[in-house]
Amino acid sequence: RRAACQQLGKFASVIDYKHVMSEIVPSMSKLTKDAQDSVRLRTVENCVMVANLLKPEDREAKILPVIYALCKDKSWRVRYMVADKFPSLTEAAGEEKKNRLEMTNIFVQLLQDGEAEVRTAAAQKIAEVAKLAGEKLTTEKLMQPIESLAKDDSQYTRAALASVIMSLANCAPKQVVLEQLLPQFLQLLKDEDPEVRLKIISKLESVNNVIGVELLAQSLLPAVDDLARDKKWRIRLAILKYVPLLGRKLGASMFEKHLCQQCIDWLKDSVWQIRMVAAENLKDVAEIFEAKWTNTNLVPEVKALSEHKKPSYRMSAVYAINFLAQALGNDGVVKELMPLIETLSKDKVANIRFTLAKKLSHIAKFMDKSAVDEQIKPILVKMAQDSDKDVVYFAQESYGNILDPPKEVNGEENKS
């Protein structure tokens, strides 16, 4: 029965309409009552395929009862499948107002399902369903369930809602968004689970378009601060990746006040991967706020790291310089970064020296030839006489790469 059910929709697409109505639709309805939930699961996909074959006037009588039965199925797995496929089911049910109302009512039941897995699947589809339902039904039918989901016992359900909630802003009148949707957004932003807060921040583009930069800063920055200090390093890494977007949305003044120091603190993190991503972020931030801001706010902090007693901090400074060079170009490297490079080339830790040596050929790409000849090459010549053989090797390799840059392979530099 399961195998036959799996092919039912495809079979319906190649037979005449008369037999679809007389044979396929009754069979599909019967399959919703099958004893095996694995068979009933297949009926969900069949419902979409068969509905698309029916005339509009037949969909209400033949398809809606099937969807309703599946939504009430005793197996949560079947209800989960209905929730997951609900946008497709809604489209298949047709655009008639009565059908859209019925489908929205069915969807509300899924949002209020007794199983968290079903509520989670439905929550992930709210924005898609709301777009199909229209402003009126979204306002009248979906806002109340959304309020309940924002307080749901399941963190996964709350996270699913957080990932789509602000996409609903285009599906309801602005006044409704501000009065009913925004409070739920702010509540999720203060959620006890970091994954939920992170889902909200990952949709920052939509959020800013709705609530504006001032309210965004007031509500968002405390959550960012908490996530930046989360004990789970993967959470810290995840929020780090949104820093450039935060910079573009908040502007130079607000970023400097609230996030600039945190960008530097990430360079001191105990996890290597976070320090590397933090260093790369400096390039993006520098490109957003340009050279003058970067020289005032970032370069002095990197200089302090380059002189710090902890080797890991000084190593972070090497990577930060490497990325900042891309944003600052020749003038910035010569005026701001070369003193730091000089200092680090004489560092007492060999690993720091040879890492710098490896990066110098990359930094040289963003400098004028005369500056490279006068400042980068002499440093590499000195490092090629270092007491550590690895420093010597990488200094010679970088010098050779400057003289004869590696050829590009398929548009990408050969880094071997």
Side-chain angles (χ1 to χ4, degrees):
R1 294 195 308 278
R2 183 170 62 245
C5 187
Q6 189 171 358
Q7 302 300 323
L8 192 65
K10 296 178 182 178
F11 180 66
S13 67
V14 297
I15 63 176
D16 61 69
Y17 192 80
K18 177 182 176 181
H19 287 96
V20 171
M21 291 296 294
S22 63
E23 302 292 338
I24 300 299
V25 172
S27 296
M28 187 172 66
S29 181
K30 185 179 179 180
L31 287 169
T32 64
K33 302 178 181 66
D34 195 277
Q36 295 294 320
D37 63 359
S38 61
V39 175
R40 302 196 302 276
L41 271 172
R42 300 290 183 183
T43 309
V44 179
E45 293 183 3
N46 284 329
C47 194
V48 175
M49 297 177 71
V50 172
N52 287 326
L53 300 174
L54 299 187
K55 296 174 182 178
E57 59 267 25
D58 291 327
R59 290 176 181 172
E60 181 181 348
K62 303 298 183 181
I63 296 300
L64 286 179
V66 174
I67 296 174
Y68 191 77
L70 291 168
C71 175
K72 290 287 189 179
D73 197 280
K74 62 184 178 180
S75 170
W76 72 266
R77 291 179 177 85
V78 175
R79 302 196 305 276
Y80 175 95
M81 180 65 76
V82 174
D84 186 58
K85 301 292 184 182
F86 208 84
S88 298
L89 288 168
T90 301
E91 289 184 300
E95 298 180 0
E96 295 79 4
K97 288 185 178 180
K98 185 178 179 181
N99 291 1
R100 285 291 160 92
L101 174 60
E102 286 298 320
M103 291 300 292
T104 304
N105 287 333
I106 292 172
F107 186 64
V108 169
Q109 294 179 31
L110 293 169
L111 292 173
Q112 298 170 339
D113 195 273
E115 291 291 338
E117 289 84 353
V118 179
R119 296 196 304 275
T120 300
Q124 289 175 329
K125 303 297 180 179
I126 283 181
E128 294 177 62
V129 173
K131 185 176 180 181
L132 293 169
E135 285 191 356
K136 188 174 186 295
L137 287 177
T138 297
T139 302
E140 294 176 357
K141 300 291 185 178
L142 298 182
M143 287 300 164
Q144 187 59 45
I146 287 171
E147 183 177 346
S148 299
L149 290 173
K151 304 171 186 174
D152 198 276
D153 292 337
S154 169
Q155 68 191 66
Y156 302 107
T157 301
R158 299 196 307 275
L161 176 63
S163 69
V164 300
I165 187 169
M166 293 316 293
S167 298
L168 288 164
N170 297 321
C171 305
K174 187 172 183 181
Q175 193 65 25
V176 173
V177 171
L178 293 175
E179 292 179 359
Q180 298 185 52
L181 204 59
L182 182 57
Q184 310 316 318
F185 159 76
L186 296 176
Q187 179 174 322
L188 291 168
L189 200 51
K190 299 174 184 176
D191 197 274
E192 62 183 19
D193 187 79
E195 293 285 356
V196 176
R197 303 196 300 273
L198 195 59
K199 289 289 186 181
I200 284 282
I201 293 170
S202 71
K203 302 299 179 182
L204 186 60
E205 200 79 46
S206 300
V207 173
N208 188 53
N209 292 337
V210 175
I211 69 175
V213 68
E214 291 297 330
L215 185 55
L216 174 69
Q218 293 173 19
S219 57
L220 187 68
L221 290 172
V224 172
D225 190 61
D226 288 342
L227 291 168
R229 292 171 171 77
D230 197 275
K231 62 182 179 180
K232 297 178 181 178
W233 73 269
R234 293 185 187 278
I235 296 293
R236 301 198 303 276
L237 180 63
I239 188 61
L240 228 178
K241 294 177 180 178
Y242 295 108
V243 166
L245 179 58
L246 284 164
R248 284 191 291 272
K249 294 301 178 183
L250 294 175
S253 178
M254 205 166 287
F255 188 91
E256 179 182 341
K257 181 178 179 181
H258 296 285
L259 286 177
C260 188
Q261 186 56 51
Q262 183 58 58
C263 286
I264 302 302
D265 290 344
W266 273 314
L267 291 169
K268 305 173 185 177
D269 197 277
S270 59
V271 177
W272 178 87
Q273 190 173 354
I274 290 179
R275 297 198 300 272
M276 294 306 98
V277 175
E280 187 171 2
N281 268 352
L282 293 188
K283 174 184 76 72
D284 296 326
V285 171
E287 289 174 345
I288 292 168
F289 299 131
E290 300 182 346
K292 184 178 179 180
W293 186 94
T294 301
N295 294 337
T296 302
N297 294 283
L298 296 183
V299 173
E301 297 291 345
V302 175
K303 181 177 185 295
L305 289 178
S306 71
E307 298 170 348
H308 201 278
K309 64 181 180 180
K310 287 190 176 182
S312 63
Y313 289 14
R314 302 199 300 277
M315 184 68 84
S316 291
V318 172
Y319 284 96
I321 290 167
N322 179 58
F323 286 111
L324 282 175
Q326 300 178 50
L328 295 178
N330 182 75
D331 292 345
V333 174
V334 171
K335 295 177 182 178
E336 304 292 341
L337 301 182
M338 281 310 303
L340 283 60
I341 291 171
E342 285 274 5
T343 300
L344 290 166
S345 71
K346 302 169 186 174
D347 197 278
K348 61 184 178 181
V349 177
N351 280 13
I352 293 174
R353 299 198 303 276
F354 79 62
T355 300
L356 177 67
K358 287 185 350 183
K359 301 300 179 186
L360 283 178
S361 61
H362 179 256
I363 292 171
K365 295 177 182 178
F366 308 99
M367 301 172 65
D368 296 341
K369 184 178 183 304
S370 59
V372 172
D373 291 340
E374 293 173 9
Q375 301 196 48
I376 297 295
K377 286 183 178 179
I379 290 176
L380 286 172
V381 169
K382 290 180 183 179
M383 297 182 81
Q385 300 170 3
D386 196 275
S387 58
D388 185 274
K389 62 181 181 180
D390 290 327
V391 177
V392 171
Y393 173 81
F394 288 113
Q396 291 174 342
E397 182 181 61
S398 277
Y399 196 96
N401 287 340
I402 291 173
L403 294 177
D404 184 19
K407 295 180 180 179
E408 292 188 356
V409 179
N410 295 329
E412 296 183 3
E413 182 178 298
N414 183 356
K415 297 181 180 181
S416 62

